[in-house]
Every structure is written in C-alpha cells, then in structure tokens.
C-alpha cells in the first residue's frame, strides 16, 4: 500500500494567518514547511482508495472514486473538507465514532453514507483490513490499523499516549511496518490531549519499524530544526511528515 500525506498539520495549519512565530515565518520561505490540517489517503495494491480524515478540501489531490472515508474524531481540523466532499457525485461510505458527531454531516450527508463505529470494529475494503482502536483525546477518538498482506500501518492521532487496550493490540502486531503518530507539540511540552515530539517518537518505535510524526502545530519547532532534532535522536527510524509526502509500505 501507499500512504499519501495530504495534510500533516494541527488544527490551525501552518502558516497561521498573521502569525510571526518562527514556524510560520519559515513556512512562508519554504513551501514544504506549510501544513494543511490532517488528511491521509491509503492506496491499496488492488487500487483501493481509503481516506482517513478530511481536514482539507481534497479535490486537487485526489480525483478518483473513494472506497471509504474513516474519521478519527469529529474535531473541525479532521472534518472540514467533508462539508465540500459530501457533494461527491457517487455514494461513499463514511465510518466514524459517535462522540461529538457533526449535526450537519449526519443530518444532511448528501452522497456520504455515515456509519457509526467503535473501537474493536473491523472493516474490510477489498484487500485492506481496517481495525478501529481507542485513543486518548478530548472527545471519543479512534486510531486505525490498516493491514494488507500481513503488513500493518497504524494511524495514531489525535492522542496523548495510548490506552492500555490499544497498547496490547499493537504489542501483538509488533513490529508494524509504519506508525503515524500525533506529534503536535515541541519536545518537553505537556498537553493533556496531544503528544509532544519525544512522546510521539518513543511511542512509535515501541511498535513499528518506521515512524512518521504528523499533526504538527506551529507551536512545534520549525521544520528544519525539527528534522535535525528527530534525526539526532532516532536516526532514520523516525521521520517528520510533510504535505505531499508518500510512504511505500
Ligand atoms: Zn486534530
Ligand atoms: Zn505561528
Ligand atoms: Zn482533535
């Protein structure tokens, strides 16, 4: 499978309007340091296309039928693109947890077909097996483990650490090929709902051969500093996501 990182930012995206912090100023100099809110596409070996979160309008990145859309949770930075995408000219399944569901999307989904799911549910999309797992966040939030031909990829955001029941599932599958982990905040920063970079890298390498840090806020280190920090600490096992990144599993 291929993992296509369409959006790798936190809720505000980078640069933030009128913000003069170092991350936002750097992103005005280097286009690769700009970040849209979280949006991932998984493309399976048989051509399956699955979206995980739609934090941005995807039309210029993915102009293809979508087999299913999975939401991690209903915070605006993970659903914003749905307001546009619900007009899609083809019925499309949407899987999401119940917690804080958006009334407009549920009551007037247009061509989206909402299904409420919970941790432990498994959904098969042709050759992709997708399992929902529980995460630790402000509202009910699901991570996803995507399996194809015995290779596993975990999407673990938004979260602060992991519930024990999710750790047990990941321990059994370890080593996963890839873990994509919430790294919203800079090293040393403590937040009740999101990891910092150290927590994210350590969480990922426990379970996966490679780790990609994503959901990165402008409060984090600027892109170039973050890449240096991560490389010094974990060499090439941990990578910093960027919008447009493609990872071959
Ligand atoms: Zn978020
Ligand atoms: Zn900023
Ligand atoms: Zn959130």
């Amino acid at each position: 499978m291929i993992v296509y990182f369409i959006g790798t930012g936190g809720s505000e995206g980078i640069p933030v309007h009128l913000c003069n912090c170092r991350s936002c100023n750097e992103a005005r100099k280097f286009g690769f340091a700009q970040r849209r809110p979280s949006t991932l596409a998984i493309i399976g070996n048989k051509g399956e296309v699955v979206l995980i979160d739609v934090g941005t309008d995807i039309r210029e990145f993915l102009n293809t039928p979508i087999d299913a859309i999975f939401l991690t949770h209903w915070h605006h930075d993970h659903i914003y693109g749905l307001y546009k995408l619900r007009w899609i000219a083809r019925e499309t399944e949407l899987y999401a947890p119940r917690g804080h569901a958006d009334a407009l999307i549920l009551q007037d989904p247009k061509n989206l077909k909402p299904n409420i799911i919970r941790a432990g549910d498994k959904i098969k999309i042709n050759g992709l097996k997708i399992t929902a797992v529980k995460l630790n966040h402000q509202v009910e939030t699901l991570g996803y483990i995507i399996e194809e031909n015995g290779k596993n990829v975990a999407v673990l955001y938004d979260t602060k650490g992991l519930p024990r029941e999710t750790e047990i599932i990941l321990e059994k599958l370890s080593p996963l090929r890839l873990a994509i982990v919430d790294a919203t905040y800079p090293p040393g920063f403590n937040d009740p709902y999101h990891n910092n970079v150290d927590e994210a890298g350590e969480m990922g390498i426990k379970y996966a051969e490679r780790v990609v840090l994503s959901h990165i806020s402008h409060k984090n280190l600027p892109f170039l500093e973050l890449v240096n920090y991560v490389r010094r600490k974990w060499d090439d096992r941990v990578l910093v996501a960027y919008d447009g990144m493609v990872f071959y599993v």
Side-chain angles (χ1 to χ4, degrees):
M1 78 183 99
I2 283 173
V3 183
Y4 177 22
F5 292 81
I6 296 172
T8 61
S11 41
E12 71 284 11
I14 301 178
V16 173
H17 194 50
L18 304 182
C19 182
N20 276 316
C21 79
R22 294 191 307 129
S23 298
C24 290
N25 282 336
E26 181 195 50
R28 291 183 191 100
K29 291 183 208 149
F30 298 118
F32 60 77
Q34 299 187 5
R35 298 184 188 276
R36 293 178 280 271
S38 292
T39 310
L40 269 184
I42 307 283
I43 295 113
N45 288 343
K46 295 178 184 152
E48 306 92 329
V49 178
V50 169
L51 265 180
I52 299 183
D53 289 337
V54 195
T56 194
D57 184 359
I58 60 147
R59 288 172 301 167
E60 59 181 292
F61 309 105
L62 208 60
N63 192 0
T64 179
I66 296 160
D67 295 290
I69 302 167
F70 289 81
L71 299 184
T72 57
H73 64 303
W74 290 90
H75 275 157
H76 74 96
D77 54 318
H78 299 256
I79 65 169
Y80 180 76
L82 279 183
Y83 296 106
K84 191 79 92 184
L85 191 60
R86 70 196 169 114
W87 302 96
I88 192 169
R90 177 187 144 122
E91 287 196 350
T92 302
E93 300 291 335
L94 172 72
Y95 298 93
R98 160 95 43 206
H100 291 67
D102 185 87
L104 176 70
I105 300 292
L106 283 193
Q107 286 159 23
D108 190 16
K110 311 287 181 207
N111 260 337
L112 300 177
K113 298 281 148 216
N115 306 271
I116 299 297
I117 57 170
R118 48 178 85 176
D121 285 355
K122 293 177 198 294
I123 290 124
K124 210 162 170 277
I125 311 285
N126 203 0
L128 302 175
K129 279 178 232 148
I130 299 170
T131 305
V133 295
K134 198 174 166 201
L135 298 182
N136 287 333
H137 193 44
Q138 211 168 8
V139 299
E140 186 190 357
T141 300
L142 298 175
Y144 292 103
I145 298 166
I146 304 122
E147 191 252 19
E148 184 184 53
N149 299 329
K151 297 175 190 170
N152 288 288
V153 173
V155 178
L156 303 171
Y157 57 64
D158 295 1
T159 196
K160 164 79 162 190
L162 292 172
R164 185 63 197 139
E165 61 192 86
T166 299
E167 290 180 336
I168 291 168
I169 294 168
L170 292 170
E171 281 161 13
K172 280 189 195 141
L173 296 173
S174 178
L176 288 84
R177 283 299 168 105
L178 172 67
I180 302 160
V181 184
D182 180 328
T184 305
Y185 290 115
F189 192 97
N190 191 27
D191 180 86
Y193 306 121
H194 294 282
N195 293 325
N196 66 38
V197 168
D198 294 322
E199 292 164 333
E202 276 149 29
M203 175 197 294
I205 58 172
K206 253 195 245 172
Y207 308 110
E209 291 166 4
R210 302 299 286 279
V211 180
V212 173
L213 306 181
S214 193
H215 199 276
I216 291 166
S217 164
H218 76 132
K219 291 178 184 159
N220 213 318
L221 298 174
F223 191 102
L224 298 179
E225 273 179 47
L226 182 56
V227 165
N228 281 333
Y229 181 87
V230 164
R231 186 180 287 155
R232 273 202 310 273
K233 191 153 182 183
W234 296 290
D235 199 11
D236 59 359
R237 262 189 87 187
V238 180
L239 305 170
V240 177
Y242 53 89
D243 287 14
M245 181 180 190
V246 168
F247 194 99
Y248 301 74
V249 177

mmCIF file of all heavy atoms in Angstrom, residues 93-109:
data_model
loop_
_atom_site.group_PDB
_atom_site.id
_atom_site.type_symbol
_atom_site.label_atom_id
_atom_site.label_comp_id
_atom_site.label_asym_id
_atom_site.label_seq_id
_atom_site.Cartn_x
_atom_site.Cartn_y
_atom_site.Cartn_z
ATOM 1 N N GLU A 93 -19.104 5.566 1.481
ATOM 2 C CA GLU A 93 -19.263 5.185 2.887
ATOM 3 C C GLU A 93 -18.370 6.050 3.774
ATOM 4 O O GLU A 93 -17.192 6.277 3.462
ATOM 5 C CB GLU A 93 -18.881 3.714 3.100
ATOM 6 C CG GLU A 93 -19.705 2.719 2.293
ATOM 7 C CD GLU A 93 -21.160 2.609 2.750
ATOM 8 O OE1 GLU A 93 -21.450 2.911 3.933
ATOM 9 O OE2 GLU A 93 -22.001 2.228 1.912
ATOM 10 N N LEU A 94 -18.945 6.486 4.883
ATOM 11 C CA LEU A 94 -18.203 7.268 5.880
ATOM 12 C C LEU A 94 -18.301 6.525 7.211
ATOM 13 O O LEU A 94 -19.406 6.257 7.687
ATOM 14 C CB LEU A 94 -18.835 8.655 6.010
ATOM 15 C CG LEU A 94 -18.307 9.547 7.141
ATOM 16 C CD1 LEU A 94 -16.896 10.052 6.826
ATOM 17 C CD2 LEU A 94 -19.231 10.743 7.378
ATOM 18 N N TYR A 95 -17.159 6.173 7.807
ATOM 19 C CA TYR A 95 -17.129 5.480 9.094
ATOM 20 C C TYR A 95 -16.557 6.427 10.133
ATOM 21 O O TYR A 95 -15.511 7.042 9.907
ATOM 22 C CB TYR A 95 -16.255 4.223 9.016
ATOM 23 C CG TYR A 95 -16.764 3.201 8.029
ATOM 24 C CD1 TYR A 95 -16.297 3.181 6.711
ATOM 25 C CD2 TYR A 95 -17.710 2.253 8.405
ATOM 26 C CE1 TYR A 95 -16.767 2.240 5.795
ATOM 27 C CE2 TYR A 95 -18.187 1.314 7.497
ATOM 28 C CZ TYR A 95 -17.707 1.317 6.200
ATOM 29 O OH TYR A 95 -18.169 0.389 5.303
ATOM 30 N N ALA A 96 -17.227 6.527 11.289
ATOM 31 C CA ALA A 96 -16.774 7.484 12.301
ATOM 32 C C ALA A 96 -17.289 7.076 13.672
ATOM 33 O O ALA A 96 -18.321 6.415 13.785
ATOM 34 C CB ALA A 96 -17.297 8.881 11.960
ATOM 35 N N PRO A 97 -16.569 7.501 14.726
ATOM 36 C CA PRO A 97 -17.109 7.279 16.075
ATOM 37 C C PRO A 97 -18.300 8.203 16.327
ATOM 38 O O PRO A 97 -18.474 9.204 15.628
ATOM 39 C CB PRO A 97 -15.936 7.648 16.990
ATOM 40 C CG PRO A 97 -15.125 8.621 16.195
ATOM 41 C CD PRO A 97 -15.298 8.240 14.750
ATOM 42 N N ARG A 98 -19.064 7.885 17.356
ATOM 43 C CA ARG A 98 -20.258 8.676 17.669
ATOM 44 C C ARG A 98 -19.908 10.033 18.283
ATOM 45 O O ARG A 98 -20.550 11.039 17.995
ATOM 46 C CB ARG A 98 -21.134 7.861 18.638
ATOM 47 C CG ARG A 98 -22.148 8.626 19.438
ATOM 48 C CD ARG A 98 -23.538 8.665 18.846
ATOM 49 N NE ARG A 98 -23.980 7.385 18.323
ATOM 50 C CZ ARG A 98 -24.893 7.282 17.331
ATOM 51 N NH1 ARG A 98 -25.411 8.367 16.783
ATOM 52 N NH2 ARG A 98 -25.266 6.094 16.915
ATOM 53 N N GLY A 99 -18.869 10.049 19.145
ATOM 54 C CA GLY A 99 -18.619 11.199 20.014
ATOM 55 C C GLY A 99 -18.589 12.533 19.294
ATOM 56 O O GLY A 99 -17.818 12.710 18.360
ATOM 57 N N HIS A 100 -19.418 13.489 19.731
ATOM 58 C CA HIS A 100 -19.432 14.856 19.201
ATOM 59 C C HIS A 100 -19.631 14.926 17.681
ATOM 60 O O HIS A 100 -19.058 15.788 17.015
ATOM 61 C CB HIS A 100 -18.155 15.608 19.586
ATOM 62 C CG HIS A 100 -18.093 15.907 21.047
ATOM 63 N ND1 HIS A 100 -17.971 14.921 21.998
ATOM 64 C CD2 HIS A 100 -18.159 17.067 21.722
ATOM 65 C CE1 HIS A 100 -17.957 15.477 23.207
ATOM 66 N NE2 HIS A 100 -18.074 16.777 23.064
ATOM 67 N N ALA A 101 -20.415 13.988 17.148
ATOM 68 C CA ALA A 101 -20.627 13.972 15.699
ATOM 69 C C ALA A 101 -21.243 15.278 15.228
ATOM 70 O O ALA A 101 -22.055 15.895 15.919
ATOM 71 C CB ALA A 101 -21.513 12.797 15.328
ATOM 72 N N ASP A 102 -20.863 15.687 14.023
ATOM 73 C CA ASP A 102 -21.316 16.948 13.457
ATOM 74 C C ASP A 102 -22.748 16.802 12.936
ATOM 75 O O ASP A 102 -23.027 15.953 12.093
ATOM 76 C CB ASP A 102 -20.377 17.338 12.320
ATOM 77 C CG ASP A 102 -20.712 18.699 11.771
ATOM 78 O OD1 ASP A 102 -20.199 19.681 12.315
ATOM 79 O OD2 ASP A 102 -21.512 18.770 10.815
ATOM 80 N N ALA A 103 -23.656 17.656 13.446
ATOM 81 C CA ALA A 103 -25.075 17.522 13.116
ATOM 82 C C ALA A 103 -25.329 17.712 11.619
ATOM 83 O O ALA A 103 -26.103 16.970 11.012
ATOM 84 C CB ALA A 103 -25.885 18.534 13.922
ATOM 85 N N LEU A 104 -24.660 18.663 11.018
ATOM 86 C CA LEU A 104 -24.901 18.922 9.588
ATOM 87 C C LEU A 104 -24.516 17.696 8.745
ATOM 88 O O LEU A 104 -25.273 17.267 7.874
ATOM 89 C CB LEU A 104 -24.105 20.145 9.126
ATOM 90 C CG LEU A 104 -24.222 20.433 7.621
ATOM 91 C CD1 LEU A 104 -25.621 20.928 7.267
ATOM 92 C CD2 LEU A 104 -23.174 21.433 7.166
ATOM 93 N N ILE A 105 -23.363 17.126 9.019
ATOM 94 C CA ILE A 105 -22.909 15.980 8.220
ATOM 95 C C ILE A 105 -23.837 14.781 8.438
ATOM 96 O O ILE A 105 -24.176 14.067 7.486
ATOM 97 C CB ILE A 105 -21.444 15.608 8.570
ATOM 98 C CG1 ILE A 105 -20.498 16.770 8.292
ATOM 99 C CG2 ILE A 105 -21.013 14.342 7.803
ATOM 100 C CD1 ILE A 105 -20.295 17.145 6.854
ATOM 101 N N LEU A 106 -24.276 14.556 9.667
ATOM 102 C CA LEU A 106 -25.134 13.384 9.914
ATOM 103 C C LEU A 106 -26.551 13.583 9.374
ATOM 104 O O LEU A 106 -27.159 12.655 8.851
ATOM 105 C CB LEU A 106 -25.203 13.052 11.409
ATOM 106 C CG LEU A 106 -23.990 12.353 11.999
ATOM 107 C CD1 LEU A 106 -24.316 11.814 13.374
ATOM 108 C CD2 LEU A 106 -23.461 11.227 11.110
ATOM 109 N N GLN A 107 -27.090 14.797 9.503
ATOM 110 C CA GLN A 107 -28.481 15.019 9.085
ATOM 111 C C GLN A 107 -28.615 15.321 7.598
ATOM 112 O O GLN A 107 -29.657 15.091 7.004
ATOM 113 C CB GLN A 107 -29.095 16.162 9.915
ATOM 114 C CG GLN A 107 -29.401 15.730 11.335
ATOM 115 C CD GLN A 107 -29.521 16.921 12.282
ATOM 116 O OE1 GLN A 107 -29.794 18.041 11.851
ATOM 117 N NE2 GLN A 107 -29.316 16.681 13.567
ATOM 118 N N ASP A 108 -27.574 15.857 7.012
ATOM 119 C CA ASP A 108 -27.643 16.199 5.594
ATOM 120 C C ASP A 108 -26.343 15.762 4.905
ATOM 121 O O ASP A 108 -25.560 16.585 4.432
ATOM 122 C CB ASP A 108 -27.847 17.719 5.459
ATOM 123 C CG ASP A 108 -28.166 18.104 4.020
ATOM 124 O OD1 ASP A 108 -28.514 17.217 3.216
ATOM 125 O OD2 ASP A 108 -28.045 19.304 3.707
ATOM 126 N N PRO A 109 -26.121 14.438 4.873
ATOM 127 C CA PRO A 109 -24.820 13.955 4.378
ATOM 128 C C PRO A 109 -24.685 13.966 2.857
ATOM 129 O O PRO A 109 -23.617 13.645 2.339
ATOM 130 C CB PRO A 109 -24.751 12.530 4.920
ATOM 131 C CG PRO A 109 -26.160 12.105 5.088
ATOM 132 C CD PRO A 109 -26.960 13.350 5.391
#
